[in-house]
Amino acid sequence: MEKLKVEKKKGVSKNTIIAIVAVVLVIIVIAVAGMLLLQKGDNKKELEKKLTEMGRDFYENFYYDQIGGSADERTTLLSRFTTVGIKIDLDNLGRYNNGEYKDKISEFTNKKTKEKCSKTNTKVIVYPKSPYGKTDYKIETELDCGFEKEKK
């Protein structure tokens, strides 16, 4: 009689596959949690967006209508600001339209450092562009609440 040899399959066991899947899942969970924590800490983009919206409203619905008595006069006045821009700080935005933005401005704090934004140094800058209509401009923001200090 011949003896039958029983050969074990050389392969990956079920336990090894389960362990590998578990390790991959743990790595994915750690990576997602890390990304969420990093994003949650920096609110610079959010503040820039709010400041841009307030500046846009101020310029289009108040400043533009106040400057110049005629279209020609408005064009002449606005053309002087194409390179230097019209600077509107948080302090002035807080007084605009009977304090419409007071609550929004109180939220201007760097979440990471807990530093409140300066009401005089945090500003929106509007650069009028030809043909100097109500919506013909470029807008930039400057935040002064510790975002630059963090990166050094």
Side-chain angles (χ1 to χ4, degrees):
M1 264 201 246
E2 288 183 34
K3 286 189 178 180
L4 292 173
K5 281 187 177 180
V6 178
E7 288 185 31
K8 279 190 174 182
K9 283 186 181 178
K10 291 185 179 181
V12 182
S13 71
K14 245 185 184 178
N15 289 341
T16 306
I17 292 172
I18 292 172
I20 291 171
V21 168
V23 168
V24 168
L25 286 174
V26 168
I27 291 171
I28 290 172
V29 167
I30 290 171
V32 168
M35 287 177 12
L36 289 174
L37 286 175
L38 286 175
Q39 288 177 349
K40 191 175 185 181
D42 189 355
N43 62 330
K44 184 177 182 179
K45 295 276 187 230
E46 175 189 337
L47 293 178
E48 288 174 336
K49 183 179 178 193
K50 284 181 185 180
L51 190 56
T52 299
E53 289 170 1
M54 290 188 293
R56 179 172 283 124
D57 179 41
F58 179 87
Y59 179 76
E60 291 178 10
N61 298 315
F62 175 73
Y63 189 88
Y64 186 84
D65 294 332
Q66 299 297 315
I67 192 165
S70 67
D72 288 338
E73 194 176 323
R74 183 178 291 130
T75 298
T76 303
L77 291 169
L78 289 175
S79 66
R80 295 179 186 165
F81 293 99
T82 57
T83 55
V84 293
I86 299 161
K87 296 166 180 70
I88 310 142
D89 62 22
L90 282 182
D91 198 33
N92 283 313
L93 287 170
R95 290 191 295 262
Y96 166 64
N97 209 11
N98 295 320
E100 177 182 345
Y101 292 123
K102 225 172 197 159
D103 291 339
K104 266 189 182 180
I105 289 170
S106 68
E107 298 170 6
F108 272 72
T109 303
N110 182 334
K111 284 185 181 176
K112 243 182 195 174
T113 64
K114 306 292 185 230
E115 184 178 337
K116 282 202 159 291
C117 294
S118 164
K119 288 190 177 184
T120 53
N121 293 336
T122 297
K123 60 189 90 165
V124 63
I125 306 164
V126 179
Y127 297 94
K129 296 188 308 186
S130 182
Y132 305 106
K134 200 174 225 182
T135 58
D136 297 319
Y137 58 86
K138 182 179 89 166
I139 200 162
E140 290 180 4
T141 59
E142 286 182 10
L143 296 174
D144 182 10
C145 32
F147 288 107
E148 286 70 35
K149 295 175 196 169
E150 291 174 23
K151 294 181 182 179
K152 289 181 181 175

